[in-house]
Amino acid sequence: MSWSALRSRSLVSQELRRDTLATRKHYHKLNARSPARMSYCLNPNCPKPQNLPGVNFCTSCGSKLVFRNRYHHIKPIGAGGFGKTFLAKDAERMDAPCVIKQFFPSREIQADTQAMAKATQLFEQEARQLLQLGEQHPQIPTLFAYFEQDRYLYLVQQYIEGHDLWKELQHHEAFSEKQIRDLLMDLLPVLQFIHEHQVIHRDIKPTNIVRRNSDRKLVLIDFGVSKQLASGTLLTTTGTKAGTEGYAPLEQLRGGKAYPASDLFSLGVTCINLLTAAELDQLYDPLEGRWLWKEHLRKKRKDVSVQLSQVLDKLLKDYVKERYQSAAAVLQDLTAASTPAPPPTPQPKTSLPPLPPPQIQIWRCVRTLKGHSDFVYAIAISPDGETLASGSNDSTINLWQLGTGNLIRTLKGNSYKVWSVAISPDGQTLASGNSDSTIKLWQLGTGNLIRTLTGHSDGVHSVAISPDGQTLASGSFDSTIKLWQLGTGNLIRTLTGHPNWVRSVAISPDGQTLASGSDSTINIWQLGTGKLLQTLTGHSDEVWSVAISPDGQTLASGSRDSTIKLWELATGKLIRTLSGHSAYVNCVAISPDGQTVACDSGRTIKLWHLASGKLLHTITGHSDFVVFISFSPDGRTLASGSYDKTIKIWRCD
């Protein structure tokens, strides 16, 4: 060995000894509040990568153990074809845990120049996509750093403290229908978000879905094989075959193509995997080309609702065009009322009498909620049916446990009256429209104020959120409707066309149509473009409320003329008028099964059969005018707010 080489080795050894002493002192300062952890060498060729705490250079190979003077490597936590993943801690963030991914492809990939170039591209793309997506969505890890060290590429991302769904399945029994529904409701908005940002994940599976310990929300991880869509397209071109066999659809594994529907297919496989706790090979019959997940459930004497079964079957279609094309479409079917059985085939030579209305149901008051000091103007019930939000003239919003009636918390960030409230489909965000012309967005779980939207010049009387959770619509006394991006609070556009106050807005279940009530007219708009499609006339006084049926076919409008009118939403044709109310109709609501229309009528609530227009029931109990009504997601509970400063919870026997 040459003198220069010996001298270099000696210098490195001396530096290692000096650095070890200095780093140990620094390490003990950093870890005064937590026990010491081993350090780990990230050199892929290191024979003994584990090191004692407090060293900056590996005692086995001499490689750096602390990158950028801040990232201390602790242990490996995963490996794949493109490299390894390590748990680390960040000295500049009070030793907060983080994840370091090292780009070190397999020897086979390194030996293929083209494959190596593609792998490098994918690794860099993952960093770009985490930077783009993670900062904008709380259920995607955030990118902290991307750099080259010792000829290897690294990315540093947020560490999600929790466990993946595969581990959850191993430690518990198979998922229930409610757990699968919760999974879909939690994760579909995340997929909708990434697809709208032109990204296909391409590797949806239980191990890439982590349940975060802090709030139990699901986080989508590992964008290592995700695909960027070409601008303005809904599909990718032929490229690298990616995904996990069993979970990935054929178009990914055969041709390397991917669509939003490809991620939804993988999500469907994930659901039946968790629902049955069976091996994927047992859930598909290649001879008949069909899924056997229902048979596995029946063997265990389990079953799911017709609605969930239909949703899962459509997610799992072999042909891309037969699947759901967007996460929003899945959410729409998942949150809609269960589809009623199809009507019998009509007999051409037989005149059958019309079916009688459903049996009259008896509603009883199960509790009265007291806590507001003024009129209760608005009510919203969360998608999971557990939380009720009420807005009042007393400038507060109260959050209640619907099942018990207990007050959870009071939101006091408003200085003026709260006229309307709405909850996002994922149950995370509460929007309130206020008499001071603002809209406030709150975190439903914590009650924290997210942001305040300004732009209206008069009070905001109605707010509605689109089924995909992306768009907020607000109707104001300034005669306009404004459309906002719910996630950012940015104004999309302003709709003008009403000559008077906009009292109510409603968005159709498919997210395509917006209805608004004003003077004596109702305007129907195309939500995506803001184009006015038609104006419905027929009421003789102001329209104070509009609601759209779960199937998107019927529009109900309540008016100051003391009537409700039912319209065909697509054509604007008047179906019928419901009369007999003792006062103005402030609010109309349609039950989740699409069978019942509820409205206020003075101090009472009237329930009508939507199909026949027959009066089913009149509910009494409030001591002053009822001003707002809302159904629970299961349709068995009705909440009403009144001028008597109370909220009553009614239950159907």
Side-chain angles (χ1 to χ4, degrees):
M1 182 179 293
S2 67
W3 166 249
S4 60
L6 286 171
R7 183 175 181 276
S8 296
R9 173 174 288 187
S10 175
L11 289 172
V12 169
S13 299
Q14 293 175 28
E15 182 62 28
L16 276 171
R17 287 194 294 272
R18 285 196 300 269
D19 190 66
T20 298
L21 292 172
T23 306
R24 280 178 179 166
K25 292 179 182 178
H26 177 62
Y27 181 89
H28 289 306
K29 289 181 181 178
L30 288 173
N31 292 277
R33 297 180 302 276
S34 60
R37 295 178 177 177
M38 299 294 287
S39 294
Y40 200 89
C41 179
L42 270 57
N43 178 3
N45 301 312
C46 181
K48 295 181 180 180
Q50 284 192 334
N51 289 265
L52 292 174
V55 294
N56 278 5
F57 289 90
C58 177
T59 55
S60 177
C61 70
S63 299
K64 285 186 177 181
L65 297 178
V66 181
F67 285 179
R68 295 192 162 188
N69 296 319
R70 62 184 295 187
Y71 300 117
H72 298 248
H73 319 131
I74 297 173
K75 63 178 181 180
I77 55 176
F82 292 165
K84 295 181 179 180
T85 305
F86 301 87
L87 177 65
K89 59 182 180 179
D90 186 348
E92 292 188 9
R93 296 175 55 244
M94 300 180 67
D95 282 353
C98 60
V99 171
I100 293 183
K101 296 189 73 171
Q102 178 192 56
F103 178 63
F104 182 69
S106 63
R107 291 181 179 177
E108 292 79 5
I109 293 177
Q110 293 185 52
D112 187 324
T113 303
Q114 186 176 1
M116 184 63 181
K118 186 63 179 179
T120 305
Q121 178 188 347
L122 286 173
F123 191 76
E124 293 175 348
Q125 179 175 281
E126 179 179 11
R128 286 195 300 271
Q129 289 174 350
L130 286 177
L131 179 63
Q132 174 194 14
L133 302 175
E135 291 184 352
Q136 299 182 49
H137 202 290
Q139 289 169 262
I140 298 173
T142 302
L143 179 74
F144 292 150
Y146 179 74
F147 57 87
E148 181 178 350
Q149 180 85 29
D150 298 331
R151 295 182 299 173
Y152 296 108
L153 293 175
Y154 295 90
L155 65 82
V156 184
Q157 67 184 56
Q158 178 186 9
Y159 171 67
I160 307 300
E161 188 173 352
H163 56 272
D164 64 54
L165 294 190
W166 179 253
K167 290 181 180 176
E168 190 168 309
L169 180 63
Q170 304 311 304
H171 288 85
H172 301 85
E173 296 180 357
F175 280 35
S176 65
E177 173 165 352
K178 182 180 185 304
Q179 288 174 302
I180 294 298
R181 284 179 173 273
D182 290 345
L183 183 158
L184 290 169
M185 293 298 294
D186 203 2
L187 205 60
L188 282 167
V190 184
L191 289 182
Q192 183 72 15
F193 171 80
I194 70 170
H195 293 163
E196 288 177 349
H197 284 74
Q198 306 299 303
V199 173
I200 308 297
H201 187 278
R202 296 204 298 179
D203 202 15
I204 306 291
K205 56 185 178 181
T207 53
N208 282 341
I209 304 170
V210 175
R211 191 180 301 281
R212 188 164 50 204
N213 288 343
S214 60
D215 58 3
R216 309 296 293 168
K217 300 296 290 183
L218 298 179
V219 179
L220 185 60
I221 65 169
D222 198 351
F223 284 72
V225 296
S226 59
K227 185 78 173 178
Q228 186 76 37
L229 298 180
S231 178
T233 69
L234 293 177
L235 55 92
T236 70
T237 55
T238 303
T240 305
K241 299 174 184 180
T244 301
E245 188 174 355
Y247 295 99
L250 290 177
E251 65 268 14
Q252 280 184 211
L253 297 177
R254 285 181 178 173
K257 292 184 178 180
Y259 312 75
S262 306
D263 279 349
L264 296 175
F265 176 91
S266 300
L267 180 61
V269 178
T270 296
C271 287
I272 63 171
N273 188 195
L274 298 171
L275 191 60
T276 62
E279 297 292 333
L280 292 183
D281 289 344
Q282 301 173 6
L283 296 178
Y284 188 78
D285 184 346
L287 295 178
E288 296 188 16
R290 68 185 187 93
W291 292 95
L292 307 174
W293 64 274
K294 295 177 188 175
E295 288 83 346
H296 275 268
L297 285 183
R298 289 169 188 145
K299 287 178 183 177
K300 298 179 180 181
R301 298 184 177 181
K302 293 176 59 179
D303 208 346
V304 297
S305 65
V306 173
Q307 183 191 48
L308 181 61
S309 176
Q310 291 173 343
V311 168
L312 293 177
D313 282 343
K314 190 169 180 179
L315 286 170
L316 295 168
K317 292 290 186 182
D318 283 337
Y319 295 116
V320 176
K321 289 185 177 180
E322 293 182 357
R323 295 181 211 144
Y324 288 104
Q325 300 302 301
S326 71
V330 189
L331 279 169
Q332 177 186 333
D333 281 2
L334 196 66
T335 55
S338 298
T339 305
T345 304
Q347 303 297 321
K349 295 183 179 181
T350 305
S351 179
L352 297 176
L355 293 175
Q359 183 178 359
I360 294 177
Q361 300 170 336
I362 304 301
W363 291 79
R364 59 189 177 88
C365 182
V366 294
R367 61 184 54 88
T368 300
L369 311 184
K370 299 179 180 179
H372 286 295
S373 60
D374 208 332
F375 305 156
V376 178
Y377 258 127
I379 290 173
I381 298 175
S382 61
D384 61 9
E386 295 183 0
T387 306
L388 181 146
S390 58
S392 169
N393 247 19
D394 64 10
S395 304
T396 69
I397 300 167
N398 279 347
L399 301 181
W400 315 79
Q401 286 182 334
L402 184 62
T404 65
N406 293 334
L407 180 63
I408 302 171
R409 62 178 56 88
T410 298
L411 312 184
K412 298 181 178 180
N414 290 300
S415 56
Y416 291 85
K417 303 169 185 178
V418 179
W419 281 346
S420 55
V421 290
I423 298 175
S424 62
D426 62 7
Q428 294 187 38
T429 305
L430 170 71
S432 65
N434 312 301
S435 64
D436 66 350
S437 74
T438 68
I439 301 152
K440 292 187 182 294
L441 303 181
W442 315 78
Q443 286 183 336
L444 186 66
T446 64
N448 293 333
L449 180 63
I450 302 172
R451 60 178 58 90
T452 299
L453 311 184
T454 59
H456 282 295
S457 59
D458 207 335
V460 178
H461 202 268
S462 181
V463 289
I465 299 174
S466 61
D468 63 5
Q470 300 298 309
T471 305
L472 170 73
S474 57
S476 169
F477 277 13
D478 65 8
S479 305
T480 71
I481 301 156
K482 290 185 182 291
L483 303 180
W484 316 77
Q485 288 181 335
L486 184 65
T488 64
N490 294 333
L491 180 63
I492 302 171
R493 62 178 54 90
T494 299
L495 310 183
T496 58
H498 284 296
N500 210 330
W501 303 339
V502 179
R503 289 274 190 172
S504 181
V505 291
I507 298 174
S508 62
D510 63 4
Q512 301 297 311
T513 305
L514 171 73
S516 58
S518 181
D519 44 77
S520 60
T521 65
I522 301 147
N523 278 350
I524 308 298
W525 314 79
Q526 194 173 60
L527 185 66
T529 64
K531 178 183 178 182
L532 179 61
L533 301 176
Q534 56 184 323
T535 298
L536 312 184
T537 60
H539 282 291
S540 60
D541 211 330
E542 294 176 355
V543 177
W544 280 359
S545 182
V546 290
I548 299 174
S549 61
D551 62 8
Q553 296 184 22
T554 306
L555 170 72
S557 57
S559 170
R560 195 171 183 267
D561 65 10
S562 302
T563 69
I564 295 173
K565 292 186 182 292
L566 303 179
W567 317 76
E568 285 184 356
L569 183 62
T571 64
K573 178 183 177 182
L574 179 63
I575 302 170
R576 65 175 52 89
T577 299
L578 308 181
S579 304
H581 304 96
S582 60
Y584 309 150
V585 178
N586 290 288
C587 178
V588 291
I590 300 178
S591 60
D593 63 4
Q595 300 295 310
T596 307
V597 179
C599 71
D600 63 282
S601 180
R603 295 179 175 86
T604 69
I605 300 165
K606 290 187 179 294
L607 302 175
W608 304 82
H609 185 219
L610 182 68
S612 66
K614 300 294 184 182
L615 180 64
L616 300 176
H617 193 58
T618 299
I619 301 174
T620 61
H622 279 291
S623 61
D624 208 334
F625 279 19
V626 178
V627 289
F628 207 92
I629 304 165
S630 182
F631 280 101
S632 64
D634 65 3
R636 307 296 293 179
T637 301
L638 188 68
S640 57
S642 168
Y643 283 173
D644 65 13
K645 307 175 187 177
T646 71
I647 300 142
K648 288 188 180 291
I649 308 299
W650 313 86
R651 189 73 181 166
C652 180
D653 294 326

